[in-house]
Amino acid sequence: MTAYALAHLRPVDGPVHNEVLSYIERIQSTMEPYGGRFLVHGAEVEVVEGEWPGALVVIAFPGTEEIRAWYASAAYQEILPLRTRHIGGDVIIVPGVGPGYDASATAAAMRAARDRTEQGHPARPSTAAR
């Protein structure tokens, strides 16, 4: 199932550092062996709730194992400091939902878990979102 690597990159004062430009030039080739492709790359976001300083990067991979393998790869680890020395941010891995996903089924599972807890029974983890 498709999984995503998301980065929330913080704004930087001043011009883009040459190392960051080198990182951007080289990242694509590190992702390709793992099936990674950019869906969003450095786009400024339109905030409709809360706060979001900075830019967003979303990279799709065939699954979470491919993301972990890419992130740990020698090729990516070699270029990663080119970005992290100059741009701070948060990076997460998140699995997508499968075909036919139904949010109402997730709500039903969450409601049932809550009701069991309120009745003194331990809640069982929901698998509806998987």
Side-chain angles (χ1 to χ4, degrees):
M1 175 174 6
T2 303
Y4 305 91
L6 288 87
H8 176 198
L9 303 177
R10 304 295 188 266
V12 177
D13 291 332
V16 177
H17 195 279
N18 282 335
E19 286 190 340
V20 173
L21 295 173
S22 180
Y23 169 88
I24 293 169
E25 291 166 346
R26 297 168 61 189
I27 190 172
Q28 185 78 40
S29 66
T30 69
M31 298 175 350
E32 287 171 352
Y34 304 94
R37 64 184 180 89
F38 283 105
L39 298 180
V40 177
H41 190 204
E44 291 295 324
V45 300
E46 177 182 346
V47 179
V48 294
E49 289 185 34
E51 296 179 27
W52 189 282
L56 177 67
V57 176
V58 180
I59 307 170
F61 286 85
T64 57
E65 292 307 312
E66 288 86 352
I67 297 173
R68 290 183 188 109
W70 162 72
Y71 193 87
S73 71
Y76 186 65
Q77 288 299 306
E78 179 183 322
I79 68 168
L80 181 57
L82 300 176
R83 178 184 58 79
T84 59
R85 280 195 288 262
H86 306 285
I87 299 175
D90 303 302
V91 178
I92 62 170
I93 296 171
V94 61
V97 297
Y101 172 78
D102 181 355
S104 63
T106 299
M110 293 170 72
R111 180 173 284 114
R114 181 202 61 199
D115 293 348
R116 281 192 302 278
T117 300
E118 289 175 355
Q119 294 171 1
H121 302 288
R124 285 180 258 150
S126 170
T127 59
R130 294 182 195 160

